[in-house]
Amino acid sequence: MKSISAAVLALALIAPGLAQASETSARVYGKQQALSQQNVKLGEVIYVHEVRIQDQSYRLNTGSAVGASTGYLLSKNRSGSERAIAGIAGGAIGTAVQRQVTKRKAVEIYIRLEGKNDIFSVVQDADQVIRAGDHVFVSGRGNQMRVTPLR
């Protein structure tokens, strides 16, 4: 019964983190971006390169905490040192799982703005089809730029 409770607890703790909206999608806007003016420029895609986006800003994360708790709870009939080892192993497995789950396919898009010779790049989720030669809108401000194909 405790192992079922541990699994349910693990799922309850991990699920909200996995369901969060992506901050790197050109299709998803945060509350502060909605209804705000964006600078928009027209450009042409020169090159598109597939990359991955991974959140590396965490040390102790939900995956390691849940994994450690689950490993510890599932080893209930073991000695104290075996439970500690199971907790540490569970934490390591939980961290590895969270890293894989939070890794997303993305694209680095190289763009030349109309009337300019400069080329710059934007990295965003690969949730839209963007190809070399496409005409695109580049919108945003500062380090919050998005590329949207003109269709």
Side-chain angles (χ1 to χ4, degrees):
M1 187 65 165
K2 279 189 179 181
S3 63
I4 293 172
S5 298
V8 169
L9 174 64
L11 182 60
L13 290 174
I14 288 177
L18 300 180
Q20 289 180 354
S22 171
E23 296 175 5
T24 55
S25 172
R27 295 180 175 208
V28 178
Y29 286 81
K31 185 177 179 181
Q32 293 179 343
Q33 295 169 322
L35 300 176
S36 66
Q37 179 179 340
Q38 304 290 318
N39 297 324
V40 180
K41 297 177 181 176
L42 190 59
E44 182 180 353
V45 176
I46 304 301
Y47 178 72
V48 179
H49 176 68
E50 189 174 304
V51 296
R52 297 237 180 239
I53 296 174
Q54 180 175 336
D55 182 8
Q56 298 176 344
S57 63
Y58 54 82
R59 292 270 184 231
L60 177 63
N61 55 54
T62 305
S64 38
V66 170
S69 300
T70 303
Y72 185 79
L73 290 173
L74 292 177
S75 63
K76 64 181 176 185
N77 296 328
R78 305 288 183 185
S79 70
S81 61
E82 290 173 325
R83 288 185 87 179
I85 291 169
I88 291 168
I93 292 168
T95 299
V97 168
Q98 182 165 352
R99 283 191 178 138
Q100 288 303 312
V101 169
T102 59
K103 191 185 297 185
R104 295 186 311 279
K105 285 185 178 181
V107 288
E108 183 174 21
I109 307 162
Y110 293 83
I111 303 153
R112 178 182 296 127
L113 295 179
E114 280 195 357
K116 306 276 185 181
N117 287 327
D118 296 340
I119 297 174
F120 64 95
S121 69
V122 174
V123 175
Q124 65 186 36
D125 285 349
D127 57 356
Q128 303 182 85
V129 177
I130 299 177
R131 296 182 191 99
D134 283 353
H135 289 278
V136 294
F137 286 122
V138 180
S139 63
R141 288 180 285 178
N143 64 355
Q144 297 291 318
M145 302 300 286
R146 303 168 184 270
V147 178
T148 307
L150 227 141
R151 304 248 186 254

